Structure formats: C-alpha cells, structure tokens
Amino acid sequence: MSEKELTDKYVLGTYSREDVAFVRAKGSYLWSDKGEKYLDFFPGWGIGNIGHVHPSVKKAVCDQAGQILHMPNNFYSSHQGKLAGKIVERAFPGRVFFSNSGAEANECALKVARAYGNLKGKPGVVTARKSFHGRTMATITLTGQEKYQKGFGPLLANVEYFDFNSISSFDEVFHDSICAVMIEVIQGEGGVQVGTQEFIRHIRQKTQEKEALLIIDEVQTGVGRTGTFFAYENYGIVPDIVTMAKALGGGVPIGATIVGEKFADILKPGMHASTFGGNSLACRAALAVLEVIEIKKILEKMPVKSRFLFKRLKQFKKKFPFIKEVRGMGLMAGIELEGDKALRFFKKAIDKHLIVNCTAGCVLRILPALNISRKDLKAGLDIMEEIFYEIG
C-alpha cells in the first residue's frame, strides 16, 4: 500500500490532505515521493524559521541521539537549564516551563493565570475574537473562533471575548474580576491581523492598573518571525508571560512558557508537569536553532528581505484589483483576496510546486524561512505573480 492508502486507512481523519507525499526536505525546498521539487513559503506550518533540516540542527539531534534522549523531570537533565537561560536572556527576568507544543505552552500560561486569579478572587480571562491559541479544551475556549469550538461544549467557564484592535470592545469586557488577558500581537490564523501600537499598549496599561497578567502568545511570531526575536518587542512593552513553540525546535517538538519573576513561584511542585517537556533531544535542537540565529546574524539581515517582500506584495496589490489588502511584519505576510480567490490560488500554487497557506477563508499567508536566499524569495514571488494573472 502507498503512504496515502495507509494513512487514509489507519490514521484518524482530522486533516484535509493534499494529494502529495513529501519524503525529503532541505532549506526552503521539499521533494515528493515522485521526485518533484517544491519551493516552501510556509515551512512546517511555521516551524521552519531557519529552513528544513538545517545542518546545525541535524548535527545536534544526531549527536544527542547517541547520548541520551530523555530523562524524567524529577532529575536534572542536560541542556534544559542552558536553554531556559538563553530564552530568558532574550525575553525578561523569569523562569521557563517546557512542554511539547504551543497549545501546551498556552495551557501552562492559563494555569499560572488561574492560580494567580484564585489567590486574588479574580477567575476571569479575556481573549480576542479571531484569535488562535490551540486545540485542547482550554485553548479552544481561548480561541475566539466558533468553528474551532463547535461540537466540544461546554467550554471553559469565565472566559470573555473582545474585538481585536478595538479599545472600546476590550474595555467593555475587562473588569475587576479578570485575572489575565491572552492575546497575539499579530493574529496568524485570524488572517495576519497586525495589532496597532495604541491597542497593544492600551492593554498593557490596563492590565498593570488592574493587576491582571498579560499573556502574549508568540507560538507563531516568536523566534524572529517579525524581525525581532519576540513580536512584542515591536510595541515597546514587556508582558508577564510569553508562550512559544513552533520554530523553537527547528522541527523537533518543543513548547516553552516564560513566566516573569514576579509570578514565577505561583506554580508549586506537583501543580503542573509534562513527561516529555524539555527533554534532552528537544532542548539540544532548540539550542542549535538559537545558535544559528545568533551566529548567522539572521535578525540583522531580515530588514532587507522584509522590505523586498512587502515592496513586491504591494506592487501586486496595485496591479491586481482583487487583492484587497497586504499586511504583516518581518517575513510574516497576509494577502487578503476577494471571494474564493485565495483558495483557488492555494490549489494552483501546489500545481506550480509552491507551498503557501490559505487562512481565514480569504487570506494567503506566507512565512518563508528567515534565512531564505533572495533568489529563492524572488522565485516564489514570481510564481505568485503568475498565479495572480491566472486567477484574475
């Protein structure tokens, strides 16, 4: 049986899959089981900030696999403390809890918030509509999109929603019984909606005034995606908790919750745990990712690539009237199209061996590797222009 036949027969059908099987990857390229080469503008659903199978990550994983893969967290294990230190240096004074995914990182953040809120008699949490924070029961509650919640009720209690980028909507639901606000400064799954400076800073001010925690979900925007290591840095604020995952492990599953030192003692031994969280293999891979970003000066080189990307996308907008808006930051871009053109674009892109994403029904989302070459970036944009002509 083929891989497709085996998957369709034995794997739970929770994904809509395209009819292609990839067997090899390197940098910004994928190869199918038929030997066809694809340019990937959405590597690993956001994990490929330094591309697929980076040599440094490959070496780190292979070396670590020959030493020790996993140790229970009631013992000290190699590389966990070092990685936590590197992350805290990039963020703010605090401590880190390691898990396996973004959803788990957000679960940990919520448990810190609820434990803090119960001490204060403040159980409520508020989050934005059109957000995305994960697929667990708690995180679909925090995800302000009914399509992800449908069929799974009753949801977590004491959660309220506000409109993204609306100060008045936020102020309506933010009251004295709220212990935390969870938000993305750029809503990825919501269509690459960029938070305004005024809106994000208003939330930080109000949470400080009311002694509520500000939790920023950087699962997609972290590890340099927007040009700074964390996206919140673009807003001149410091949150109380930050969550990250996706690109941190370079393809190896790892999540991290950074809790500011003021709140780092809220969770006591036994209150939270993860069997695989922060194991030696995942931490070693993440250390390699951070080393590549630093040594190769990837963030320092990003502004030139970002300007090139958005200049070209804005040219597309002028040329093709059905492009309603171009938005984003760094190497995270959303192109909103009229009607069903985004889905049609997505299908045609696969036919032309270009991988992009269609989100929010009408938005093309692209997240090319931060270290993508100018040549490959231009090649992908040239293919995009071809498709815009065809669907127009």
Side-chain angles (χ1 to χ4, degrees):
M1 297 175 76
S2 69
E3 185 61 41
K4 179 181 184 300
E5 290 169 329
L6 288 167
T7 301
D8 290 344
K9 183 174 181 178
Y10 294 113
V11 177
L12 203 63
T14 59
Y15 296 98
S16 298
R17 301 180 192 270
E18 301 304 316
D19 193 15
V20 58
F22 293 113
V23 296
R24 187 165 66 89
K26 186 176 181 181
S28 290
Y29 286 93
L30 300 165
W31 285 264
S32 75
D33 57 356
K34 297 177 182 177
E36 297 173 319
K37 186 179 179 181
Y38 291 71
L39 177 56
D40 196 352
F41 262 28
F42 199 69
W45 210 270
I47 67 95
N49 283 19
I50 59 171
H52 292 286
V53 196
H54 192 282
S56 295
V57 176
K58 177 182 175 181
K59 182 179 185 303
V61 168
C62 290
D63 286 350
Q64 191 59 43
Q67 298 174 29
I68 188 169
L69 294 174
H70 175 75
M71 276 295 295
N73 279 315
N74 58 324
F75 299 99
Y76 290 97
S77 62
S78 55
H79 310 299
Q80 191 177 109
K82 184 177 181 182
L83 176 60
K86 292 284 186 183
I87 292 171
V88 167
E89 286 173 10
R90 290 279 192 172
F92 43 78
R95 277 180 271 169
V96 181
F97 179 86
F98 289 111
S99 52
N100 310 286
S101 66
E104 291 172 80
N106 286 333
E107 285 272 354
C108 177
L110 179 62
K111 287 179 76 172
V112 174
R114 278 286 171 84
Y116 168 77
N118 286 335
L119 293 174
K120 298 277 189 177
K122 300 161 56 157
V125 178
V126 294
T127 184
R129 294 185 180 91
K130 298 184 180 180
S131 60
F132 185 85
H133 297 294
R135 301 275 190 166
T136 65
M137 284 302 299
T139 55
I140 62 168
T141 305
L142 291 166
T143 293
Q145 300 191 57
E146 187 179 351
K147 66 181 180 180
Y148 295 114
Q149 301 170 345
K150 190 174 181 180
F152 298 112
L155 302 176
L156 200 69
N158 297 306
V159 176
E160 298 180 72
Y161 306 93
F162 56 88
D163 294 331
F164 193 68
N165 274 338
S166 172
I167 289 175
S168 61
S169 178
F170 173 79
D171 286 346
E172 284 178 12
V173 298
F174 186 70
H175 43 75
D176 290 340
S177 66
I178 300 300
C179 68
V181 178
M182 179 176 279
I183 194 169
E184 306 151 281
V185 295
I186 302 177
Q187 292 186 324
E189 196 72 14
V192 194
Q193 302 289 345
V194 181
T196 66
Q197 291 283 334
E198 183 184 20
F199 177 67
I200 300 300
R201 289 180 179 179
H202 178 81
I203 291 176
R204 174 69 287 192
Q205 179 187 340
K206 290 298 182 180
T207 51
Q208 288 175 326
E209 289 176 1
K210 297 286 188 180
E211 295 186 326
L213 303 184
L214 175 57
I215 304 166
I216 294 186
D217 179 341
E218 296 258 10
V219 170
Q220 186 170 135
T221 54
V223 199
R225 175 51 58 187
T226 65
T228 53
F229 191 80
F230 291 108
Y232 73 76
E233 296 175 67
N234 295 291
Y235 295 84
I237 64 165
V238 178
D240 300 302
I241 300 176
V242 170
T243 60
M244 58 192 304
K246 287 194 183 294
L248 179 59
V252 177
I254 186 170
T257 307
I258 308 110
V259 183
E261 60 183 353
K262 183 178 178 181
F263 309 101
D265 290 324
I266 288 173
L267 293 185
K268 308 297 183 185
M271 290 179 70
H272 194 52
S274 172
T275 298
F276 289 104
N279 69 55
S280 299
L281 183 71
C283 288
R284 182 80 183 274
L287 282 167
V289 170
L290 300 187
E291 187 176 71
V292 169
I293 289 173
E294 184 175 350
I295 291 176
K296 298 296 184 180
K297 299 187 182 300
I298 286 176
L299 298 187
E300 289 84 346
K301 297 174 183 177
M302 272 189 65
V304 173
K305 293 179 184 178
S306 179
R307 285 194 295 270
F308 177 77
L309 170 65
F310 281 97
K311 180 180 179 181
R312 189 78 183 274
L313 294 179
K314 288 173 182 177
Q315 288 173 348
F316 293 163
K317 185 178 183 299
K318 290 180 180 178
K319 189 178 293 188
F320 303 104
F322 55 82
I323 298 179
K324 296 173 68 175
E325 189 176 9
V326 171
R327 49 186 179 258
M329 190 183 293
L331 287 180
M332 180 178 188
I335 306 103
E336 185 173 346
L337 308 184
E338 292 179 348
D340 66 346
K341 283 186 167 57
L343 184 58
R344 289 170 54 199
F345 185 105
F346 169 75
K347 297 290 186 182
K348 281 184 172 288
I350 292 176
D351 291 341
K352 292 180 181 291
H353 293 189
L354 175 69
I355 306 298
V356 297
N357 174 248
C358 177
T359 189
C362 60
V363 178
L364 298 174
R365 177 172 45 165
I366 60 173
L367 306 172
L370 308 186
N371 57 348
I372 190 172
S373 69
R374 185 185 178 94
K375 178 182 177 182
D376 288 341
L377 188 57
K378 181 180 183 299
L381 290 166
D382 288 346
I383 295 171
M384 291 182 70
E385 186 168 12
E386 286 178 25
I387 300 170
F388 282 136
Y389 273 116
E390 291 180 11
I391 66 172

